[in-house]
Amino acid sequence: MSPVVNIAAYKFLPLDGLKSLRVRLQDLCAEAQLKGSILLSPEGINLFVAGGERQIEQLLAELRSWPGLADLQPKISHTDHQPFRRMLVRIKKEIIAFGVPGIDPARRTSPKLAATQLKQWLDEGRPITLLDTRNDYEVKLGTFKNALPIGVDHFRDFPAAVAKLPEQLKEQTVVMFCTGGIRCEKAGPFMEQAGFKNILQLDGGILKYFEDVGGEHYDGECFVFDQRVGLDPKLGETHSTQCFQCQSPLTPAEQEHPHYVPGKSCQYCFKTPAEQMALNIARRHEVIRQLVNPLPGSQPYDHFKPVNVPVDCDGQTIVATLHRVVRHIALEVWERKCADGLVLTADHEPVAATHRVKPGERYLHRLPAVIEPAVNMDVTILHEDEAIVVVNKPAPLPIHSGGRFYRNTLQWLLYDVYAPQKLRPAHRLDANTTGVQVLTRTRHFAGRVQDQFARTQVEKVYLVRVNGHPEADQFACEMPISREPGKLGSRSVDPDGLPSHTDFRVLRRFNDGTALLEARPRTGRTNQIRIHIAHLGWPVCGDPAYLAGSEVGETQTLSIDAPPLCLHAFELTFKHPVSRQPVTFRAPPPAWAEE
């Protein structure tokens, strides 16, 4: 089998007509079955290409026919396999990304030092500083002995790294080097502008040094940007490889590490499941901070509430239907809304008040220029995996859309954070209640978790601060709770209601007349803890709805600056939908429970 010829070359020169040049090279490389990459830009050309000897000569002949490229001299090496997967010809702003205006290697670069001259200086022990301008992960495989790495992850960071170099280097002889010399073409003039007086660049870089003088004064191998990963001083491919996940080059010894899994991880990027989750959550929190500033519902927008026509409204007018479905809005109000163009078809066409409807049709109630009340969206993610997401819900914050809240809700926020997935709440906390909220990632997992809540198989522990001092340290309430909602959607103790059971334990009695309790609801009725403890005569501190003496207040969701409702979902235990093993999640107690 004939060896594969590998060439690397670049040249800074003005190039125009880049699109037509790109097409010519694409056609030539496709016909010659060459692979690699060629970058074209107004400042020049940079290429790494591999293929048969005759085909490589065809490419070089084409390039040398271009004005200014007649003297193009590539660095050549050989392999017994094709080191590239495909052929790319791209047009870029720069052939080596630097981003500093005014640096034009086609007009001027720093003086070049031949490889033989550098070796002689190093043999003589001449006092020079060898500056490695490559990225840290390249330096990791090898560099010149006693060389100073510039310390960057990307060449765009070079200017900032130069600013950190010792001031005395500006008076010393600095020989900079890189893989093939291209970076130094820009790095040298930049350092001269920064006040470095004796800058030289190694002509042709490390690869030319290997080609001309071998590996003396060099430790290790040279990283290259193809499947070979590393070349030894004889320009032969080494046994180094590259981590698929973090792109770190790995020596044969590093490939023996237990955390090296080809295509997945290495010792430098491996993370335990807990570490990976913590990293993912940190990223989610950053997204949350961006999404809630400003709050999603704080800017005016038109909201469209869908209304589906029930079967028993067949043939009725739209206003009669709307009044039937949304009973708290009077018939004459719906007539005015139709007249104002606020009732629309699903296609956003206005609907007249006399329009007749059919079962199953959907209409839209437009609410113009909605601005929602402020909420607390300081959501903290406690856990996430392939099945569930657990958050510490702040308050006030509704979970679902409803009432005056459409976008300022937990569900709206998490739809954005976890897009395209739409998380499904497995249970529901009131807008004013804080603590552990479980959501599921798919309908399948939702069924497995929601069923546990429905069957009261979830162990729940709440912290609640109440007005008054219960006499007993432990007590329970088993009063039934009404089936239907009353004023503002509230429930109440009702002898004919649903069976309900809450266990309470006093944790501390405070001097201000309040007490901190642990509440364990054994059933899952709406507002159960608040209703039971208020019925016993010790209403929850800050509760706007369930007041002393079985009175019901006038507020559902508290304002952002109101004293908090002192009810916190502290702990939940249930069976994980994947492992089917019990898992427990806790939300740190709020300030009112830590006193």
Side-chain angles (χ1 to χ4, degrees):
M1 182 177 178
S2 300
V4 175
V5 179
N6 299 267
I7 61 169
Y10 71 87
K11 187 165 185 180
F12 288 94
L13 77 163
L15 284 181
D16 52 21
L18 297 180
K19 290 184 179 180
S20 62
L21 294 177
R22 179 172 179 258
V23 171
R24 285 166 60 183
L25 291 178
Q26 283 178 321
D27 291 343
L28 187 157
C29 292
E31 183 178 349
Q33 296 185 324
L34 298 175
K35 294 184 179 181
S37 65
I38 301 177
L39 299 183
L40 301 173
S41 89
E43 69 174 10
I45 184 171
N46 185 19
L47 60 102
F48 298 87
V49 180
E53 183 175 4
R54 181 175 60 84
Q55 291 80 3
I56 289 291
E57 285 301 325
Q58 288 177 348
L59 173 62
L60 291 174
E62 165 66 26
L63 294 175
R64 288 166 179 161
S65 71
W66 296 5
L69 284 181
D71 60 347
L72 184 67
Q73 293 298 324
K75 288 172 280 296
I76 300 174
S77 61
H78 296 84
T79 54
D80 58 6
H81 65 281
Q82 172 60 258
F84 298 102
R85 294 185 177 90
R86 54 182 175 169
M87 186 69 230
L88 297 174
V89 184
R90 293 176 172 172
I91 296 175
K92 297 279 191 177
K93 290 182 179 180
E94 302 176 90
I95 58 173
I96 180 69
F98 194 45
V100 177
I103 303 295
D104 184 3
R107 289 191 296 107
R108 183 188 177 281
T109 64
S110 300
K112 292 183 170 63
L113 183 69
T116 52
Q117 187 69 61
L118 174 60
K119 180 181 180 301
Q120 181 181 333
W121 286 6
L122 295 175
D123 289 342
E124 296 170 351
R126 181 175 293 208
I128 61 173
T129 295
L130 287 166
L131 182 66
D132 196 331
T133 65
R134 298 173 300 159
N135 301 326
D136 285 342
Y137 64 87
E138 299 174 72
V139 177
K140 176 177 172 289
L141 270 191
T143 188
F144 282 99
K145 296 175 182 177
N146 301 317
L148 173 66
I150 192 63
V152 296
D153 292 326
H154 193 282
F155 191 43
R156 286 190 297 264
D157 303 326
F158 185 83
V162 168
K164 299 176 183 178
L165 291 175
E167 189 69 22
Q168 60 266 28
L169 275 185
K170 292 183 177 180
E171 303 296 329
Q172 299 175 13
T173 299
V174 176
V175 179
M176 58 172 50
F177 63 92
C178 58
T179 306
I182 188 170
R183 293 189 187 197
C184 296
E185 301 272 22
K186 291 189 173 184
F190 176 82
M191 291 190 69
E192 290 176 347
Q193 289 183 3
F196 291 80
K197 298 177 181 178
N198 301 296
I199 293 292
L200 300 171
Q201 61 184 90
L202 176 59
D203 193 11
I206 300 168
L207 296 181
K208 186 64 174 173
Y209 185 91
F210 283 176
E211 182 180 339
D212 288 354
V213 301
E216 199 169 348
H217 303 292
Y218 192 93
D219 277 335
E221 53 198 80
C222 179
F223 179 88
V224 290
F225 291 90
D226 56 53
Q227 291 184 44
R228 295 174 296 175
V229 179
L231 298 181
D232 61 26
K234 295 181 179 179
L235 296 178
E237 181 179 1
T238 69
H239 293 289
S240 293
T241 190
Q242 198 169 11
C243 175
F244 177 83
Q245 186 65 31
C246 70
Q247 302 301 302
S248 178
L250 304 172
T251 64
E254 290 169 325
Q255 294 170 47
E256 296 299 318
H257 195 280
H259 288 160
Y260 174 59
V261 180
K264 291 186 177 180
S265 66
C266 71
Q267 67 191 83
Y268 302 108
C269 66
F270 173 83
K271 292 178 177 59
T272 65
E275 290 170 338
Q276 186 60 54
M277 183 177 70
L279 180 62
N280 292 342
I281 288 175
R283 292 169 179 162
R284 306 280 193 201
H285 286 161
E286 180 59 33
V287 173
I288 289 173
R289 284 191 289 270
Q290 294 172 7
L291 290 174
V292 303
N293 187 23
L295 291 174
S298 64
Q299 305 300 315
Y301 69 96
D302 285 0
H303 179 68
F304 297 88
K305 296 185 72 171
V307 179
N308 296 318
V309 178
V311 173
D312 58 1
C313 289
D314 186 18
Q316 293 188 13
T317 64
I318 183 66
V319 291
T321 301
L322 290 170
H323 180 56
R324 156 77 171 75
V325 175
V326 191
R327 297 181 184 276
H328 67 276
I329 298 182
L331 193 69
E332 56 271 20
V333 174
W334 283 119
E335 290 174 343
R336 288 198 301 271
K337 286 179 179 290
C338 285
D340 293 339
L342 299 180
V343 178
L344 311 170
T345 67
D347 297 325
H348 289 248
E349 296 295 330
V351 178
T354 56
H355 174 76
R356 301 285 175 175
V357 302
K358 296 178 182 179
E361 290 181 332
R362 169 171 286 202
Y363 294 87
L364 301 173
H365 175 203
R366 182 168 73 92
L367 303 175
V370 170
I371 299 179
E372 300 178 28
V375 295
N376 182 358
M377 277 192 161
D378 187 18
V379 176
T380 302
I381 300 170
L382 302 173
H383 171 91
E384 69 168 39
D385 57 40
E386 74 276 21
I388 61 174
V389 174
V390 184
V391 305
N392 183 9
K393 187 188 85 66
L397 178 63
I399 290 179
H400 301 280
S401 173
R404 299 173 296 162
F405 301 92
Y406 311 109
R407 296 184 177 180
N408 284 353
T409 67
L410 177 67
Q411 203 162 20
W412 179 281
L413 173 65
L414 295 183
Y415 276 179
D416 266 1
V417 174
Y418 285 89
Q421 283 187 331
K422 291 190 174 182
L423 303 189
R424 297 167 169 82
H427 60 111
R428 180 178 175 273
L429 294 179
D430 293 330
N432 301 323
T433 302
T434 59
V436 180
Q437 172 68 50
V438 181
L439 305 102
T440 56
R441 288 182 178 266
T442 67
R443 188 185 305 276
H444 172 69
F445 294 132
R448 289 188 176 183
V449 180
Q450 289 170 357
D451 185 63
Q452 295 180 61
F453 279 92
R455 295 173 180 271
T456 63
Q457 295 171 342
V458 178
E459 184 70 23
K460 307 173 187 177
V461 180
Y462 284 75
L463 298 177
V464 53
R465 191 159 178 170
V466 299
N467 289 298
H469 286 174
E471 296 84 0
D473 290 339
Q474 296 189 48
F475 54 95
C477 184
E478 298 184 25
M479 298 302 296
I481 293 177
S482 59
R483 300 172 185 271
E484 299 297 328
K487 177 183 176 182
L488 295 178
S490 65
R491 308 293 172 119
S492 60
V493 167
D494 181 355
D496 298 323
L498 297 168
S500 307
H501 181 167
T502 310
D503 291 327
F504 293 96
R505 181 166 68 94
V506 177
L507 301 178
R508 185 175 178 186
R509 296 177 177 89
F510 297 102
N511 293 332
D512 65 356
T514 66
L516 181 65
L517 312 181
E518 174 190 277
R520 293 177 179 261
R522 304 304 182 184
T523 51
R525 311 304 176 203
T526 301
N527 302 152
Q528 177 175 316
I529 295 173
R530 297 162 64 190
I531 294 169
H532 274 175
I533 200 67
H535 174 77
L536 294 175
W538 306 296
V540 178
C541 295
D543 196 332
Y546 300 103
L547 311 176
S550 299
E551 293 293 321
V552 177
E554 300 296 328
T555 303
Q556 283 181 310
T557 302
L558 293 167
S559 65
I560 191 73
D561 53 357
L565 171 74
C566 295
L567 181 62
H568 179 70
F570 173 61
E571 180 180 290
L572 285 183
T573 301
F574 57 94
K575 290 184 178 180
H576 192 279
V578 175
S579 69
R580 303 300 181 96
Q581 297 300 310
V583 289
T584 298
F585 298 101
R586 297 182 181 89
W592 55 259
E594 290 181 334
E595 296 176 9

